[in-house]
Amino acid sequence: MKFLVAFPLILAGLASAQFGGLRPGQRLGAAIGNVANRVQDRLAGIASRLPAPPALRDVENFGDFLTQSGKTYLNEADRVLHENVFSARKNLVDAGNEAFSKGTSTYKLAVNAFADLTNAEFLSQLTGRRKSNQGESKVAASRQSAHVQPGGNVPDAFDWRQQGGVTSVKYQGTCGSCWAFATTGAIEGHVFRKTGKLPNLSEQNLVDCGSLDFGLNGCDGGYQEYAMAFINEKQRGISKSDQYPYIDNKETCKYTNSLSGAQITGFASIPPKDEALMKKVIATLGPLACSLNGLESLLLYKSGIYADEKCNDDEPNHSVLVVGYGSEKGQDYWIIKNSWDKNWGEDGYFRLPRGKNFCGIALECSYPIV
């Protein structure tokens, strides 16, 4: 199944945008950002051939799940395996939401289109952060020291989505390419901060062209710093997404200099566990590409501040984009863009406790120099 979006629809969206006036209390920059985001949503449909996972509603049993998700399996044994996984996940959702209703949990869960994935399928399809000796040997020339201008304004809450500096939520499909989505998101945001224009950049370019000598292995994993070093040192740019659409698979590299939609001059790494500097960089420079440890409870996340303590027990396995921060009922949190489509979580985002290195979010954070 493929989605086709006609270019005239984009023009119609622009024509119908509310340029004529602002809502009460709305700033001009935010209004322009909202228009830009709507256009980016239309472009995202053109720039990807990958169908989005369906949104599920009120799933009570495996039959409901199959009907709404449209999933099929290789054979009866495979179906039974995934039915058993689904049953365990449904129990986890029910227990988690009961805890939320009693006030002993800060987040809600939901049965979604990923609820039948085995842990191995989850890790191979929806994560992909992989570090390697090859990649580490390549990043030194591109790495710079993280810094912010002294005296910069660091507000108590900040969200790059409200500034128009974040593209629409994307979907990595069954390809372990989270590292590519974290990389493009960071570059998109920092280019926007510098130029006022928000590019939509190509993850497929990185999946196809990223080389093993830079520690990039397509759908079998990579790491955001390796990707930034590759873009800076070897490819000298990265393609726009509409010219190099995402296909959920690794193919032959098709990049040429004429496709370039952005360039960087390196990247900077945040010292591990320095969440104060993370906050300053996000508020003054742009989003951060970070790693964290993703669990099956995150797979089923629906809303709230995700605080499953078990995610603190292991090393990072997933790359994401931190786009802002805030507080709710005395709990500080990070705002994180994921690559599991809009039908997951809070319209494709989730919130994570801030100030506690929760899930290892503050161990591996970087941003591009543009």
Side-chain angles (χ1 to χ4, degrees):
M1 179 180 181
K2 298 179 180 179
F3 292 106
L4 301 179
V5 181
F7 183 72
L9 290 177
I10 300 175
L11 299 180
L14 281 170
S16 64
Q18 297 178 353
F19 286 108
L22 303 181
R23 296 188 301 274
Q26 185 183 22
R27 294 182 295 105
L28 177 60
I32 294 173
N34 289 338
V35 172
N37 284 338
R38 289 197 292 273
V39 174
Q40 288 294 338
D41 287 347
R42 297 296 179 91
L43 288 175
I46 292 176
S48 175
R49 304 173 186 173
L50 185 64
L56 309 189
R57 298 286 185 270
D58 302 321
V59 174
E60 295 295 332
N61 52 51
F62 193 56
D64 288 346
F65 176 78
L66 292 181
T67 298
Q68 294 189 42
S69 69
K71 288 196 174 183
T72 59
Y73 303 101
L74 296 174
N75 50 46
E76 180 63 15
D78 192 43
R79 189 197 69 80
V80 170
L81 169 65
H82 288 89
E83 182 175 6
N84 290 336
V85 171
F86 169 85
S87 297
R89 295 274 171 73
K90 179 66 166 61
N91 290 337
L92 180 62
V93 169
D94 292 342
N97 288 343
E98 182 178 0
F100 180 82
S101 67
K102 293 179 178 178
T104 58
S105 171
T106 57
Y107 61 99
K108 295 180 68 175
L109 302 177
V111 173
N112 56 34
F114 308 133
D116 67 329
L117 296 181
T118 66
N119 192 57
E121 289 170 337
F122 162 49
L123 294 176
S124 66
Q125 297 177 18
L126 293 174
T127 65
R129 173 264 185 205
R130 304 280 189 277
K131 297 184 75 172
S132 65
N133 291 332
Q134 299 100 308
E136 290 298 309
S137 68
K138 288 289 188 178
V139 298
S142 292
R143 180 180 282 130
Q144 302 179 29
S145 297
H147 67 279
V148 294
Q149 293 296 326
N153 181 35
V154 181
D156 291 336
F158 190 87
D159 187 344
W160 276 103
R161 295 174 298 180
Q162 297 175 357
Q163 311 302 314
V166 186
T167 56
S168 60
V169 173
K170 304 176 184 181
Y171 177 40
Q172 68 185 81
T174 60
C175 175
S177 55
C178 62
W179 56 273
F181 288 82
T183 301
T184 57
I187 298 173
E188 289 164 352
H190 283 256
V191 169
F192 173 81
R193 185 260 307 160
K194 183 176 182 179
T195 68
K197 298 180 180 179
L198 181 66
N200 194 333
L201 301 176
S202 174
E203 296 79 24
Q204 191 65 42
N205 175 189
L206 296 176
V207 169
D208 287 352
C209 305
S211 53
L212 282 173
D213 61 324
F214 276 82
L216 304 176
N217 196 20
C219 292
D220 291 323
Y223 184 53
Q224 52 270 19
E225 290 191 353
Y226 305 165
M228 292 183 203
F230 169 79
I231 292 167
N232 177 44
E233 298 176 31
K234 189 169 185 178
Q235 191 165 263
R236 305 294 183 182
I238 180 171
S239 176
K240 296 178 181 178
S241 188
D242 59 346
Q243 296 176 308
Y244 206 141
Y246 190 70
I247 61 170
D248 189 24
N249 192 26
K250 180 178 173 65
E251 291 193 346
T252 303
C253 179
K254 303 172 184 66
Y255 180 80
T256 64
N257 291 337
S258 64
L259 299 178
S260 179
Q263 296 82 37
I264 63 176
T265 61
F267 68 89
S269 300
I270 304 291
K273 301 183 181 181
D274 193 343
E275 293 187 68
L277 183 56
M278 286 174 62
K279 179 181 177 181
K280 291 178 183 178
V281 168
I282 290 171
T284 60
L285 294 178
L288 289 171
C290 300
S291 305
L292 56 78
N293 181 32
L295 302 178
E296 62 177 344
S297 58
L298 182 62
L299 189 71
L300 304 168
Y301 168 87
K302 177 60 178 176
S303 62
I305 301 175
Y306 176 74
D308 187 340
E309 294 283 352
K310 293 180 181 178
C311 77
N312 297 315
D313 296 339
D314 211 341
E315 297 298 314
N317 58 21
H318 185 43
S319 300
V320 293
L321 186 72
V322 184
V323 302
Y325 57 86
S327 300
E328 181 180 86
K329 298 179 180 179
Q331 172 68 70
D332 295 338
Y333 61 78
W334 297 114
I335 304 168
I336 301 176
K337 182 185 182 184
N338 206 351
S339 50
W340 298 348
D341 192 68
K342 291 181 179 180
N343 287 333
W344 174 88
E346 295 181 331
D347 296 323
Y349 291 81
F350 67 108
R351 288 176 289 158
L352 199 66
R354 174 164 56 94
K356 302 177 181 179
N357 185 34
F358 213 88
C359 299
I361 189 63
L363 295 177
E364 299 172 351
C365 288
S366 306
Y367 61 92
I369 308 299
V370 298

PDB file of all heavy atoms in Angstrom, residues 187-188 191 197-202 205 236-243 255-263:
ATOM      1  N   ILE A 187      19.858  18.161  12.674  1.00  0.00           N
ATOM      2  CA  ILE A 187      20.338  19.087  11.638  1.00  0.00           C
ATOM      3  C   ILE A 187      19.212  19.999  11.177  1.00  0.00           C
ATOM      4  O   ILE A 187      19.410  21.219  11.003  1.00  0.00           O
ATOM      5  CB  ILE A 187      20.946  18.311  10.457  1.00  0.00           C
ATOM      6  CG1 ILE A 187      22.161  17.497  10.920  1.00  0.00           C
ATOM      7  CG2 ILE A 187      21.344  19.264   9.330  1.00  0.00           C
ATOM      8  CD1 ILE A 187      22.725  16.574   9.859  1.00  0.00           C
ATOM      9  N   GLU A 188      18.022  19.451  10.977  1.00  0.00           N
ATOM     10  CA  GLU A 188      16.875  20.271  10.576  1.00  0.00           C
ATOM     11  C   GLU A 188      16.655  21.419  11.565  1.00  0.00           C
ATOM     12  O   GLU A 188      16.485  22.576  11.171  1.00  0.00           O
ATOM     13  CB  GLU A 188      15.616  19.395  10.506  1.00  0.00           C
ATOM     14  CG  GLU A 188      15.604  18.416   9.344  1.00  0.00           C
ATOM     15  CD  GLU A 188      14.575  17.313   9.488  1.00  0.00           C
ATOM     16  OE1 GLU A 188      13.951  17.201  10.570  1.00  0.00           O
ATOM     17  OE2 GLU A 188      14.402  16.541   8.523  1.00  0.00           O
ATOM     18  N   VAL A 191      19.602  24.051  11.488  1.00  0.00           N
ATOM     19  CA  VAL A 191      19.536  24.864  10.271  1.00  0.00           C
ATOM     20  C   VAL A 191      18.411  25.889  10.399  1.00  0.00           C
ATOM     21  O   VAL A 191      18.568  27.061  10.015  1.00  0.00           O
ATOM     22  CB  VAL A 191      19.327  23.975   9.032  1.00  0.00           C
ATOM     23  CG1 VAL A 191      18.975  24.818   7.807  1.00  0.00           C
ATOM     24  CG2 VAL A 191      20.579  23.148   8.753  1.00  0.00           C
ATOM     25  N   LYS A 197      14.734  28.840   8.015  1.00  0.00           N
ATOM     26  CA  LYS A 197      14.089  27.918   7.070  1.00  0.00           C
ATOM     27  C   LYS A 197      14.267  26.492   7.570  1.00  0.00           C
ATOM     28  O   LYS A 197      15.372  26.103   7.973  1.00  0.00           O
ATOM     29  CB  LYS A 197      14.693  28.073   5.675  1.00  0.00           C
ATOM     30  CG  LYS A 197      14.491  29.457   5.077  1.00  0.00           C
ATOM     31  CD  LYS A 197      15.120  29.562   3.694  1.00  0.00           C
ATOM     32  CE  LYS A 197      14.920  30.952   3.100  1.00  0.00           C
ATOM     33  NZ  LYS A 197      15.550  31.060   1.750  1.00  0.00           N
ATOM     34  N   LEU A 198      13.193  25.709   7.523  1.00  0.00           N
ATOM     35  CA  LEU A 198      13.209  24.341   8.041  1.00  0.00           C
ATOM     36  C   LEU A 198      13.294  23.337   6.902  1.00  0.00           C
ATOM     37  O   LEU A 198      12.314  23.117   6.193  1.00  0.00           O
ATOM     38  CB  LEU A 198      11.950  24.080   8.874  1.00  0.00           C
ATOM     39  CG  LEU A 198      11.836  22.688   9.502  1.00  0.00           C
ATOM     40  CD1 LEU A 198      12.924  22.480  10.554  1.00  0.00           C
ATOM     41  CD2 LEU A 198      10.456  22.498  10.121  1.00  0.00           C
ATOM     42  N   PRO A 199      14.460  22.696   6.703  1.00  0.00           N
ATOM     43  CA  PRO A 199      14.545  21.669   5.669  1.00  0.00           C
ATOM     44  C   PRO A 199      13.956  20.355   6.167  1.00  0.00           C
ATOM     45  O   PRO A 199      13.877  20.111   7.367  1.00  0.00           O
ATOM     46  CB  PRO A 199      16.057  21.535   5.452  1.00  0.00           C
ATOM     47  CG  PRO A 199      16.629  21.824   6.808  1.00  0.00           C
ATOM     48  CD  PRO A 199      15.742  22.890   7.413  1.00  0.00           C
ATOM     49  N   ASN A 200      13.531  19.529   5.250  1.00  0.00           N
ATOM     50  CA  ASN A 200      13.116  18.161   5.577  1.00  0.00           C
ATOM     51  C   ASN A 200      14.159  17.243   4.942  1.00  0.00           C
ATOM     52  O   ASN A 200      14.220  17.114   3.723  1.00  0.00           O
ATOM     53  CB  ASN A 200      11.719  17.876   5.015  1.00  0.00           C
ATOM     54  CG  ASN A 200      11.113  16.615   5.597  1.00  0.00           C
ATOM     55  OD1 ASN A 200      11.839  15.699   5.999  1.00  0.00           O
ATOM     56  ND2 ASN A 200       9.794  16.543   5.618  1.00  0.00           N
ATOM     57  N   LEU A 201      14.992  16.620   5.774  1.00  0.00           N
ATOM     58  CA  LEU A 201      16.171  15.917   5.279  1.00  0.00           C
ATOM     59  C   LEU A 201      15.961  14.408   5.204  1.00  0.00           C
ATOM     60  O   LEU A 201      15.075  13.854   5.858  1.00  0.00           O
ATOM     61  CB  LEU A 201      17.371  16.258   6.164  1.00  0.00           C
ATOM     62  CG  LEU A 201      17.694  17.754   6.230  1.00  0.00           C
ATOM     63  CD1 LEU A 201      18.834  18.021   7.197  1.00  0.00           C
ATOM     64  CD2 LEU A 201      18.020  18.312   4.840  1.00  0.00           C
ATOM     65  N   SER A 202      16.801  13.748   4.443  1.00  0.00           N
ATOM     66  CA  SER A 202      16.593  12.361   4.051  1.00  0.00           C
ATOM     67  C   SER A 202      17.299  11.353   4.944  1.00  0.00           C
ATOM     68  O   SER A 202      18.525  11.256   4.944  1.00  0.00           O
ATOM     69  CB  SER A 202      17.058  12.159   2.603  1.00  0.00           C
ATOM     70  OG  SER A 202      17.006  10.792   2.241  1.00  0.00           O
ATOM     71  N   ASN A 205      18.916   8.631   2.597  1.00  0.00           N
ATOM     72  CA  ASN A 205      20.264   8.976   2.149  1.00  0.00           C
ATOM     73  C   ASN A 205      21.309   8.375   3.086  1.00  0.00           C
ATOM     74  O   ASN A 205      22.303   7.771   2.654  1.00  0.00           O
ATOM     75  CB  ASN A 205      20.375  10.486   2.078  1.00  0.00           C
ATOM     76  CG  ASN A 205      21.757  11.012   1.743  1.00  0.00           C
ATOM     77  OD1 ASN A 205      21.992  12.210   1.815  1.00  0.00           O
ATOM     78  ND2 ASN A 205      22.705  10.162   1.398  1.00  0.00           N
ATOM     79  N   ARG A 236      29.800  15.455   2.566  1.00  0.00           N
ATOM     80  CA  ARG A 236      29.806  16.907   2.431  1.00  0.00           C
ATOM     81  C   ARG A 236      28.400  17.464   2.202  1.00  0.00           C
ATOM     82  O   ARG A 236      28.204  18.398   1.418  1.00  0.00           O
ATOM     83  CB  ARG A 236      30.709  17.343   1.277  1.00  0.00           C
ATOM     84  CG  ARG A 236      32.128  16.834   1.357  1.00  0.00           C
ATOM     85  CD  ARG A 236      32.873  17.442   2.546  1.00  0.00           C
ATOM     86  NE  ARG A 236      34.282  17.008   2.581  1.00  0.00           N
ATOM     87  CZ  ARG A 236      35.142  17.349   3.511  1.00  0.00           C
ATOM     88  NH1 ARG A 236      34.762  18.131   4.499  1.00  0.00           N
ATOM     89  NH2 ARG A 236      36.385  16.911   3.470  1.00  0.00           N
ATOM     90  N   GLY A 237      27.422  16.896   2.886  1.00  0.00           N
ATOM     91  CA  GLY A 237      26.048  17.361   2.770  1.00  0.00           C
ATOM     92  C   GLY A 237      25.092  16.208   2.976  1.00  0.00           C
ATOM     93  O   GLY A 237      25.501  15.054   3.136  1.00  0.00           O
ATOM     94  N   ILE A 238      23.792  16.519   2.980  1.00  0.00           N
ATOM     95  CA  ILE A 238      22.761  15.496   3.100  1.00  0.00           C
ATOM     96  C   ILE A 238      21.572  15.906   2.250  1.00  0.00           C
ATOM     97  O   ILE A 238      21.234  17.089   2.157  1.00  0.00           O
ATOM     98  CB  ILE A 238      22.340  15.276   4.568  1.00  0.00           C
ATOM     99  CG1 ILE A 238      21.246  14.199   4.654  1.00  0.00           C
ATOM    100  CG2 ILE A 238      21.915  16.572   5.234  1.00  0.00           C
ATOM    101  CD1 ILE A 238      20.927  13.776   6.073  1.00  0.00           C
ATOM    102  N   SER A 239      20.938  14.933   1.630  1.00  0.00           N
ATOM    103  CA  SER A 239      19.864  15.206   0.680  1.00  0.00           C
ATOM    104  C   SER A 239      18.587  15.684   1.366  1.00  0.00           C
ATOM    105  O   SER A 239      18.311  15.357   2.517  1.00  0.00           O
ATOM    106  CB  SER A 239      19.556  13.935  -0.126  1.00  0.00           C
ATOM    107  OG  SER A 239      18.455  14.135  -1.002  1.00  0.00           O
ATOM    108  N   LYS A 240      17.775  16.407   0.612  1.00  0.00           N
ATOM    109  CA  LYS A 240      16.412  16.689   1.024  1.00  0.00           C
ATOM    110  C   LYS A 240      15.585  15.409   0.922  1.00  0.00           C
ATOM    111  O   LYS A 240      15.829  14.563   0.063  1.00  0.00           O
ATOM    112  CB  LYS A 240      15.797  17.768   0.130  1.00  0.00           C
ATOM    113  CG  LYS A 240      16.477  19.132   0.225  1.00  0.00           C
ATOM    114  CD  LYS A 240      15.829  20.117  -0.728  1.00  0.00           C
ATOM    115  CE  LYS A 240      16.522  21.477  -0.650  1.00  0.00           C
ATOM    116  NZ  LYS A 240      15.925  22.441  -1.606  1.00  0.00           N
ATOM    117  N   SER A 241      14.603  15.304   1.791  1.00  0.00           N
ATOM    118  CA  SER A 241      13.825  14.076   1.864  1.00  0.00           C
ATOM    119  C   SER A 241      12.954  13.856   0.633  1.00  0.00           C
ATOM    120  O   SER A 241      12.786  12.729   0.174  1.00  0.00           O
ATOM    121  CB  SER A 241      12.942  14.085   3.125  1.00  0.00           C
ATOM    122  OG  SER A 241      12.318  12.843   3.303  1.00  0.00           O
ATOM    123  N   ASP A 242      12.382  14.937   0.075  1.00  0.00           N
ATOM    124  CA  ASP A 242      11.499  14.740  -1.071  1.00  0.00           C
ATOM    125  C   ASP A 242      12.264  14.277  -2.307  1.00  0.00           C
ATOM    126  O   ASP A 242      11.680  13.687  -3.218  1.00  0.00           O
ATOM    127  CB  ASP A 242      10.697  16.015  -1.360  1.00  0.00           C
ATOM    128  CG  ASP A 242      11.565  17.226  -1.654  1.00  0.00           C
ATOM    129  OD1 ASP A 242      12.782  17.174  -1.376  1.00  0.00           O
ATOM    130  OD2 ASP A 242      11.032  18.234  -2.151  1.00  0.00           O
ATOM    131  N   GLN A 243      13.575  14.520  -2.326  1.00  0.00           N
ATOM    132  CA  GLN A 243      14.387  14.070  -3.451  1.00  0.00           C
ATOM    133  C   GLN A 243      15.010  12.693  -3.210  1.00  0.00           C
ATOM    134  O   GLN A 243      15.569  12.099  -4.130  1.00  0.00           O
ATOM    135  CB  GLN A 243      15.494  15.091  -3.734  1.00  0.00           C
ATOM    136  CG  GLN A 243      14.962  16.456  -4.173  1.00  0.00           C
ATOM    137  CD  GLN A 243      16.071  17.466  -4.353  1.00  0.00           C
ATOM    138  OE1 GLN A 243      16.900  17.674  -3.473  1.00  0.00           O
ATOM    139  NE2 GLN A 243      16.091  18.109  -5.510  1.00  0.00           N
ATOM    140  N   TYR A 255      23.159   9.328  -3.738  1.00  0.00           N
ATOM    141  CA  TYR A 255      23.427  10.729  -3.416  1.00  0.00           C
ATOM    142  C   TYR A 255      24.376  11.368  -4.425  1.00  0.00           C
ATOM    143  O   TYR A 255      25.365  10.784  -4.839  1.00  0.00           O
ATOM    144  CB  TYR A 255      24.037  10.847  -2.025  1.00  0.00           C
ATOM    145  CG  TYR A 255      24.331  12.275  -1.626  1.00  0.00           C
ATOM    146  CD1 TYR A 255      23.314  13.093  -1.167  1.00  0.00           C
ATOM    147  CD2 TYR A 255      25.621  12.800  -1.728  1.00  0.00           C
ATOM    148  CE1 TYR A 255      23.568  14.419  -0.803  1.00  0.00           C
ATOM    149  CE2 TYR A 255      25.875  14.122  -1.362  1.00  0.00           C
ATOM    150  CZ  TYR A 255      24.837  14.916  -0.901  1.00  0.00           C
ATOM    151  OH  TYR A 255      25.100  16.218  -0.553  1.00  0.00           O
ATOM    152  N   THR A 256      24.037  12.608  -4.809  1.00  0.00           N
ATOM    153  CA  THR A 256      24.938  13.475  -5.571  1.00  0.00           C
ATOM    154  C   THR A 256      24.910  14.853  -4.919  1.00  0.00           C
ATOM    155  O   THR A 256      23.972  15.190  -4.194  1.00  0.00           O
ATOM    156  CB  THR A 256      24.504  13.597  -7.045  1.00  0.00           C
ATOM    157  OG1 THR A 256      23.216  14.234  -7.101  1.00  0.00           O
ATOM    158  CG2 THR A 256      24.415  12.226  -7.714  1.00  0.00           C
ATOM    159  N   ASN A 257      25.907  15.651  -5.186  1.00  0.00           N
ATOM    160  CA  ASN A 257      25.986  16.979  -4.579  1.00  0.00           C
ATOM    161  C   ASN A 257      24.772  17.847  -4.906  1.00  0.00           C
ATOM    162  O   ASN A 257      24.394  18.716  -4.117  1.00  0.00           O
ATOM    163  CB  ASN A 257      27.262  17.692  -5.030  1.00  0.00           C
ATOM    164  CG  ASN A 257      28.510  17.059  -4.448  1.00  0.00           C
ATOM    165  OD1 ASN A 257      28.452  16.391  -3.417  1.00  0.00           O
ATOM    166  ND2 ASN A 257      29.641  17.260  -5.109  1.00  0.00           N
ATOM    167  N   SER A 258      24.139  17.591  -6.051  1.00  0.00           N
ATOM    168  CA  SER A 258      22.984  18.394  -6.449  1.00  0.00           C
ATOM    169  C   SER A 258      21.774  18.157  -5.550  1.00  0.00           C
ATOM    170  O   SER A 258      20.841  18.970  -5.537  1.00  0.00           O
ATOM    171  CB  SER A 258      22.606  18.082  -7.903  1.00  0.00           C
ATOM    172  OG  SER A 258      22.188  16.718  -8.026  1.00  0.00           O
ATOM    173  N   LEU A 259      21.773  17.067  -4.799  1.00  0.00           N
ATOM    174  CA  LEU A 259      20.652  16.747  -3.924  1.00  0.00           C
ATOM    175  C   LEU A 259      20.775  17.390  -2.546  1.00  0.00           C
ATOM    176  O   LEU A 259      19.830  17.342  -1.750  1.00  0.00           O
ATOM    177  CB  LEU A 259      20.528  15.226  -3.742  1.00  0.00           C
ATOM    178  CG  LEU A 259      20.266  14.387  -4.989  1.00  0.00           C
ATOM    179  CD1 LEU A 259      20.212  12.910  -4.623  1.00  0.00           C
ATOM    180  CD2 LEU A 259      18.967  14.824  -5.658  1.00  0.00           C
ATOM    181  N   SER A 260      21.919  17.985  -2.255  1.00  0.00           N
ATOM    182  CA  SER A 260      22.184  18.469  -0.905  1.00  0.00           C
ATOM    183  C   SER A 260      21.157  19.512  -0.457  1.00  0.00           C
ATOM    184  O   SER A 260      20.891  20.477  -1.168  1.00  0.00           O
ATOM    185  CB  SER A 260      23.588  19.075  -0.824  1.00  0.00           C
ATOM    186  OG  SER A 260      23.835  19.573   0.479  1.00  0.00           O
ATOM    187  N   GLY A 261      20.614  19.283   0.749  1.00  0.00           N
ATOM    188  CA  GLY A 261      19.676  20.233   1.332  1.00  0.00           C
ATOM    189  C   GLY A 261      20.223  20.903   2.565  1.00  0.00           C
ATOM    190  O   GLY A 261      19.601  21.833   3.105  1.00  0.00           O
ATOM    191  N   ALA A 262      21.387  20.452   3.039  1.00  0.00           N
ATOM    192  CA  ALA A 262      22.012  21.044   4.222  1.00  0.00           C
ATOM    193  C   ALA A 262      23.442  20.570   4.333  1.00  0.00           C
ATOM    194  O   ALA A 262      23.794  19.486   3.850  1.00  0.00           O
ATOM    195  CB  ALA A 262      21.233  20.684   5.488  1.00  0.00           C
ATOM    196  N   GLN A 263      24.279  21.383   4.966  1.00  0.00           N
ATOM    197  CA  GLN A 263      25.656  21.014   5.264  1.00  0.00           C
ATOM    198  C   GLN A 263      25.935  21.324   6.730  1.00  0.00           C
ATOM    199  O   GLN A 263      25.279  22.168   7.324  1.00  0.00           O
ATOM    200  CB  GLN A 263      26.651  21.778   4.379  1.00  0.00           C
ATOM    201  CG  GLN A 263      26.553  21.481   2.893  1.00  0.00           C
ATOM    202  CD  GLN A 263      25.456  22.267   2.218  1.00  0.00           C
ATOM    203  OE1 GLN A 263      25.213  23.422   2.552  1.00  0.00           O
ATOM    204  NE2 GLN A 263      24.771  21.644   1.265  1.00  0.00           N
TER     205      GLN A 263
END
